Amino acid sequence: PSLNLRFELDDDLFLRVASNKTLTRPTFNSLAPAFNINANSSTNLNGDNYAVSLGAGNPALKPYEATSYDLGLEWYFAESSALYASIFHKDIENYIANSTSNVVTELAGEPIRAIGVELDGSQGPIAIDQVSQPDNQGEAQITGLELGYQQAFDSGFGYIANLTLVENSAEYEATGENIDFPGVSSVSYNLTGYYENGPLQARVAYNYRSEYLVEPSAIGFGGQLFNDEYAQLDASVSYDILENATIFLNAVNLTDEDQDVYSELPNIGKRYYSTSHVGPRVSFGIRGSF
C-alpha cells in the first residue's frame, strides 16, 4: 500500500507527504540450495591441517519488509528552476545480510561431508571451518535529509546540485551488534552542469558518495568489508542531425577513479582488501526514432 499527498501552499510552493510499505523478495542467487567450497581459506579452526570454508545459499530466506515516510517542500521560483528539501525515514524488518558461522557440521539440517587426502595418500573426513550464507537479520532504520537546487537560464545553460545526508543503524543478529545498513553512504552529492539549446545538448556530472558497508561478515577472516569513498566525473554531448536522428558521445569516469575495498578487522583496524579498476569508457553512436 502507498499514500501520496500534494498540498499547494502557494502558486509556486508545494508540500508533499508520502508513505508506503514494500516487500522485497530474496534474489535467486541467495535462495539457491547449493554451496561452493574454498580450500584456500586462511582459517583452520579444527587443527586438522585443512583450512576449508563454504559459501552457501539459503532456501529458507524470508522476504524483508520496509515502511517509508517522506515529507518534502518544493519551491518553483522560476521556469525549469526549483529549490527543494525533504526528510525521509525507513523502518526495515528481516533485512538480508551474509553471516559467517565457525566449526559447522550441518547445513540446512543435513551433515556436511568432505574427504581430504593426506600427503601419505590416506583419506579421512574433513571438518568445515566456516560457512558463510545469507540470512534474515533484525530491524534497521534509515533516516535522512535531501537538499536540491536546480537553476535554468534563458541562454540554455543550467546546473543541478543535490546533497543527501543519512543516518542508519541495523541489528546484526549473527553477532548481536548494531552495524551500518549495507550499501548506504552517510554522505552523497551530485553536481551537474548542462547546456540545452536547439539541436545541441551537453552535460557534465560529478558524483560522490562516502564509504559504505559491503559485507558485515566476510568469510575467511571474520571482518567487515567496506567500499571506500568514491567519486567520478561523467560527460555527454548530443546533436540532433535530423528531426528523428541524434548523434551522441558519452564518457564515463573521465577522472579514471578506482574502487577500493578495505576490511575492518576486530582488534586490528582498517586493512587494504582489493581494488577494482575499469578506467574511462567512451561510446559514440547514432540514435533514431521511427
Side-chain angles (χ1 to χ4, degrees), residues 105-251:
T105 59
E106 290 188 351
L107 183 63
E110 296 295 328
I112 299 174
R113 297 183 178 92
I115 299 296
V117 181
E118 300 287 356
L119 294 177
D120 60 4
S122 61
Q123 298 183 359
I126 298 176
I128 303 301
D129 295 288
Q130 287 186 327
V131 171
S132 178
Q133 64 179 156
D135 201 0
N136 291 105
Q137 305 300 326
E139 297 181 351
Q141 293 80 37
I142 300 174
T143 303
L145 168 68
E146 183 179 11
L147 302 172
Y149 183 77
Q150 177 174 334
Q151 176 74 65
F153 301 98
D154 294 337
S155 61
F157 286 99
Y159 58 88
I160 303 171
N162 63 69
L163 168 69
T164 302
L165 305 174
V166 176
E167 288 189 355
N168 67 90
S169 177
E171 297 174 354
Y172 188 49
E173 293 188 345
T175 60
E177 301 173 296
N178 281 339
I179 63 171
D180 294 337
F181 190 78
V184 175
S185 296
S186 58
V187 179
S188 61
Y189 62 83
N190 303 277
L191 302 172
T192 301
Y194 64 87
Y195 176 80
E196 296 180 357
N197 195 350
L200 179 63
Q201 301 90 39
R203 184 175 296 258
V204 177
Y206 183 79
N207 305 300
Y208 168 87
R209 65 180 302 185
S210 60
E211 65 180 21
Y212 59 91
L213 178 65
V214 179
E215 286 285 354
S217 178
I219 192 168
F221 56 86
Q224 296 181 332
L225 293 183
F226 289 85
N227 205 104
D228 208 354
E229 62 178 1
Y230 181 79
Q232 73 176 43
L233 181 68
D234 305 327
S236 65
V237 59
S238 63
Y239 189 84
D240 299 330
I241 55 177
L242 297 172
E243 184 178 354
N244 59 349
T246 302
I247 57 173
F248 65 88
L249 179 68
N250 295 330

Side-chain angles (χ1 to χ4, degrees), residues 69-135:
Y69 308 93
D70 297 88
L71 178 65
L73 191 63
E74 302 170 352
W75 177 35
Y76 297 91
F77 56 87
E79 185 176 357
S80 300
S81 300
L83 177 66
Y84 63 89
S86 64
I87 55 176
F88 57 88
H89 178 79
K90 180 176 291 188
D91 291 318
I92 301 172
E93 298 180 2
N94 295 322
Y95 77 96
I96 297 170
N98 277 351
S99 61
T100 300
S101 301
N102 296 332
V103 194
V104 178
T105 59
E106 290 188 351
L107 183 63
E110 296 295 328
I112 299 174
R113 297 183 178 92
I115 299 296
V117 181
E118 300 287 356
L119 294 177
D120 60 4
S122 61
Q123 298 183 359
I126 298 176
I128 303 301
D129 295 288
Q130 287 186 327
V131 171
S132 178
Q133 64 179 156
D135 201 0

